Amino acid sequence: MIEAAEDGLARCPGSVVRKHIRNGVYVYFQYRSLEGRTRQLYLGPDNEATEARTQRLRELAAARAEQRDSTQAIAAAFLAAGGFRTEHAPMRVLRAFSDAGVLRPGSARPVLIGTHAFHALGNLLGVRWDSPMQTQDMDLAADADVDVDLAIPPDMPGISSTLEQLEMGFLPVPALDLRAPSTSFKVRGQSLRVNLLTPLVGPARAQSDFVLALGGTAQPLRFLDYLIEAPVPALLLSHRDLVLTNVPDPARFAWHKLLVSEERPLAQAAKRAKDRMQVAQLLAVLREEAPAQLAAARAELEARGRGWAQRLERALAQAQSV
């Protein structure tokens, strides 16, 4: 735990300071928070043990700085070659999730879905989408029933705790039932939002589920189990950073988007159009580059039941651009 805490401190720009309090000298790590406020974390009395900790912090910080310079060079080169750039505010949140261990690739880790995943898949496939869409929404999904005892460290912070530590002003979004826990977090007055999701299998239900991999309560959604079953690692980048995260398999992403588009009500016509635009671009690439993968993912979807297959057929018939 101590080493993990020191590793976290080493990620923060700051310095070691000493304070004379009464008859003793004490050592603190001083840094500036994301909101611009000066903070101090107590390291210990000014003795040999504390000096050893501060020396370790200096060494870790130097290693992080070298790694950061290398990362920035790689990100800049990738973006210059046509990679997609994620906006600054979402990237700060994604970086915090990555540092906390939430977004690191792994079979039991949460999966980033939605438009951010679509852009990451573009980076993975080496294509730049036509009319790329930016979004401030981040959708994280995980299975509530998966065994995470070995995959998720017991001291890994949950989503809400990580957002609170960011100090960006995230607040829980009240559920329709005010007695129910929130499954979304939003910055007041901004569109920046994080949504926690989990698969809905079986009869529809109103209540949300606690998901250990997310460290919070998530909204159950139909068809999500298919989407996140076999995630792949992919990159999201800004000019100064990059994050490696779990995203859905690209073929599953395409068929799932098409399936969801058929289920959307008329009031969500704009979202349906966005779904189908993403599907059309993904299918165009996958039919050329990975037709066998695309066919296998469709067969796996249809094998889940007659209702799944019929919905997909209706969606294909309605999506004239696909």
Side-chain angles (χ1 to χ4, degrees), residues 72 77 103 146 176 218 254:
Q72 290 176 5
L103 282 186
V146 72
L176 292 177

Side-chain angles (χ1 to χ4, degrees), residues 187-241:
V187 176
R188 182 178 296 167
Q190 301 180 25
S191 57
L192 193 60
R193 180 171 179 147
V194 175
N195 304 307
L196 308 185
L197 308 168
T198 193
L200 171 61
V201 180
R205 61 185 187 277
Q207 73 270 24
S208 50
D209 296 333
F210 181 82
V211 180
L212 185 58
L214 295 171
T217 305
Q219 177 187 357
L221 288 184
R222 189 75 70 188
F223 311 126
L224 203 56
D225 50 321
Y226 167 79
L227 178 65
I228 67 174
E229 185 175 286
V232 297
L235 282 175
L236 284 167
L237 304 96
S238 68
H239 283 308
R240 299 178 58 84
D241 200 5

Side-chain angles (χ1 to χ4, degrees), residues 90-113:
M91 197 65 180
R92 285 173 64 187
V93 178
L94 293 170
R95 164 50 59 194
F97 288 160
S98 178
D99 289 346
V102 175
L103 282 186
R104 294 174 189 171
S107 59
R109 302 278 179 164
V111 180
L112 181 68
I113 64 175

Side-chain angles (χ1 to χ4, degrees), residues 45-319:
D46 189 9
N47 56 28
E48 291 185 2
T50 302
E51 177 58 30
R53 289 193 65 190
T54 59
Q55 180 59 33
R56 174 173 168 77
L57 279 174
R58 295 187 190 100
E59 293 171 356
L60 286 171
R64 291 291 179 195
E66 183 177 351
Q67 183 184 47
R68 186 167 55 252
D69 291 343
S70 175
T71 296
Q72 290 176 5
I74 293 171
F78 192 91
L79 292 172
F84 181 82
R85 180 184 63 83
T86 301
E87 290 182 340
H88 177 62
M91 197 65 180
R92 285 173 64 187
V93 178
L94 293 170
R95 164 50 59 194
F97 288 160
S98 178
D99 289 346
V102 175
L103 282 186
R104 294 174 189 171
S107 59
R109 302 278 179 164
V111 180
L112 181 68
I113 64 175
T115 298
H116 284 293
F118 178 68
H119 293 316
L121 288 174
N123 289 336
L124 175 67
L125 295 170
V127 298
R128 187 168 182 87
W129 306 122
D130 294 334
S131 303
M133 298 155 290
Q134 288 278 12
T135 179
Q136 298 283 299
D137 276 15
M138 283 158 280
D139 300 324
L140 295 175
D143 194 334
D145 296 327
V146 72
D147 182 3
V148 296
D149 288 347
L150 297 178
I152 304 297
D155 58 343
M156 190 184 82
I159 297 295
S160 60
S161 175
T162 302
L163 291 175
E164 183 178 349
Q165 292 174 24
L166 266 174
E167 297 183 343
M168 293 174 67
F170 277 97
L171 297 171
V173 178
L176 292 177
D177 181 352
L178 296 181
R179 297 168 297 179
S182 174
T183 62
S184 296
F185 301 86
K186 189 177 185 299
V187 176
R188 182 178 296 167
Q190 301 180 25
S191 57
L192 193 60
R193 180 171 179 147
V194 175
N195 304 307
L196 308 185
L197 308 168
T198 193
L200 171 61
V201 180
R205 61 185 187 277
Q207 73 270 24
S208 50
D209 296 333
F210 181 82
V211 180
L212 185 58
L214 295 171
T217 305
Q219 177 187 357
L221 288 184
R222 189 75 70 188
F223 311 126
L224 203 56
D225 50 321
Y226 167 79
L227 178 65
I228 67 174
E229 185 175 286
V232 297
L235 282 175
L236 284 167
L237 304 96
S238 68
H239 283 308
R240 299 178 58 84
D241 200 5
L242 58 84
V243 168
L244 183 65
T245 179
N246 274 340
V247 296
D249 169 85
R252 285 177 182 258
F253 188 96
W255 295 129
H256 176 267
K257 275 286 184 184
L258 194 57
L259 199 69
V260 168
S261 73
E262 199 275 334
E263 295 289 306
R264 290 196 187 278
L266 292 176
Q268 296 184 4
K271 289 187 177 181
R272 182 188 298 161
K274 184 183 76 171
D275 288 341
R276 290 177 178 171
M277 184 176 71
Q278 292 181 0
V279 169
Q281 294 186 70
L282 256 177
L283 290 183
V285 173
L286 295 175
R287 282 170 175 160
E288 180 71 24
E289 302 292 337
Q293 180 183 350
L294 192 62
R298 179 173 179 177
E300 289 171 3
L301 185 151
E302 293 173 337
R304 289 174 177 257
R306 184 178 178 183
W308 289 68
Q310 290 177 338
R311 287 182 176 90
L312 184 61
E313 287 295 337
R314 288 197 299 268
L316 281 167
Q318 292 177 16

